[in-house]
Amino acid sequence: SQQGEEDPQALSIQEGENATMNCSYKTSINNLQWYRQNSGRGLVHLILIRSNEREKHSGRLRVTLDTSKKSSSLLITASRAADTASYFCATSKNDYKLSFGAGTTVTVRA
Amino acid sequence: EPEVTQTPSHQVTQMGQEVILRCVPISNHLYFYWYRQILGQKVEFLVSFYNNEISEKSEIFDDQFSVERPDGSNFTLKIRSTKLEDSAMYFCASGTFEQYFGPGTRLTVT
């Protein structure tokens, strides 16, 4: 399985702090993506990084990818209460099927 | 902004009954998917659909499941004889590597 596994499982931070979560996967991939899920809601695509990319930014998000270690990190800078959610990494290979990790639950305290 | 919609938002059914979950993917997308998320667990891929046929399916997607695109806009998932373990959140998605998810249908089998 190429499924990603996130670390930590849960993270609690103060508003304004940065949140970092990691994802590891097992097999070679075409790309890795991060999704956000607010409680009981659907998944929202955040950012996609291709296997030949090492770092990508989108607003307050920064994603890194290390294919030699089969790992990725998601950094959310200057967190806000609205960032409280679960964050999932998802990998895909040559097809479009997404393999999701178990997720990191982030709580941003006001 | 275009979005994926799903109906109903919550479906309660008795074990052994048939259910049909409905989705309207984003109109210019060609690939469609169903995923499910059992409470507290990972999001799991069920099936992908392209050009009016299944392009890939997981081990979960057995003979009890079927998908259909009955017209130019709807995409449905049918579970013929529901089991207790089918209780989950079912997400429809469309897109290719970057997928857009609907809000989900919570299926409760009693």
Side-chain angles (χ1 to χ4, degrees):
Chain A
S1 165
Q2 62 193 48
Q3 289 179 336
E5 297 296 337
E6 287 91 341
D7 166 57
Q9 288 185 325
L11 185 59
S12 180
I13 55 174
Q14 202 73 31
E15 203 165 22
E17 292 180 339
N18 296 343
T20 300
M21 58 210 86
N22 304 295
C23 168
S24 61
Y25 57 92
K26 296 177 183 175
T27 64
S28 63
I29 59 172
N30 180 293
N31 64 74
L32 184 144
Q33 306 178 48
W34 287 90
Y35 285 81
R36 185 185 73 225
Q37 184 181 37
N38 291 87
S39 181
R41 305 289 297 275
L43 293 139
V44 175
H45 181 266
L46 295 176
I47 195 165
L48 180 152
I49 186 165
R50 292 184 169 77
S51 59
N52 60 354
E53 296 176 311
R54 292 297 166 258
E55 188 171 314
K56 204 161 182 180
H57 298 253
S58 176
R60 293 184 296 112
L61 304 179
R62 173 177 166 253
V63 169
T64 64
L65 179 64
D66 186 335
T67 53
S68 66
K69 294 180 180 177
K70 292 187 171 58
S71 67
S72 172
S73 68
L74 172 67
L75 168 67
I76 306 172
T77 60
S79 62
R80 305 167 182 168
D83 294 329
T84 294
S86 291
Y87 292 82
F88 297 89
C89 69
T91 57
S92 60
K93 206 167 178 179
N94 298 320
D95 51 30
Y96 298 136
K97 175 183 74 176
L98 292 177
S99 295
F100 284 87
T104 294
T105 301
V106 175
T107 303
V108 181
R109 305 186 307 274
Chain B
E1 188 174 322
E3 58 179 15
V4 176
T5 59
Q6 290 184 243
T7 54
S9 56
H10 192 188
Q11 173 93 45
V12 181
T13 189
Q14 286 192 326
M15 196 167 53
Q17 296 296 304
E18 174 183 287
V19 294
I20 298 176
L21 310 183
R22 291 182 168 80
C23 167
V24 179
I26 293 173
S27 60
N28 63 347
H29 286 178
L30 301 178
Y31 285 84
F32 316 121
Y33 315 85
W34 284 100
Y35 293 84
R36 80 170 185 191
Q37 184 180 31
I38 294 171
L39 188 64
Q41 297 187 24
K42 297 180 181 183
V43 175
E44 301 173 290
F45 169 80
L46 293 178
V47 65
S48 58
F49 191 85
Y50 171 74
N51 200 25
N52 280 323
E53 60 183 31
I54 291 173
S55 51
E56 190 168 358
K57 60 182 181 179
S58 72
E59 292 174 354
I60 303 167
F61 195 88
D62 60 22
D63 292 343
Q64 293 298 313
F65 291 88
S66 62
V67 290
E68 192 179 29
R69 188 152 164 83
D71 54 44
S73 58
N74 290 285
F75 179 50
T76 63
L77 173 69
K78 182 193 291 186
I79 309 175
R80 285 190 188 78
S81 178
T82 50
K83 304 170 194 157
L84 294 176
E85 54 265 37
D86 293 328
S87 294
M89 195 78 158
Y90 287 81
F91 293 106
C92 172
S94 67
T96 53
F97 285 119
E98 183 176 322
Q99 293 176 20
Y100 295 83
F101 283 75
T105 293
R106 180 168 299 283
L107 176 65
T108 302
V109 182
T110 63

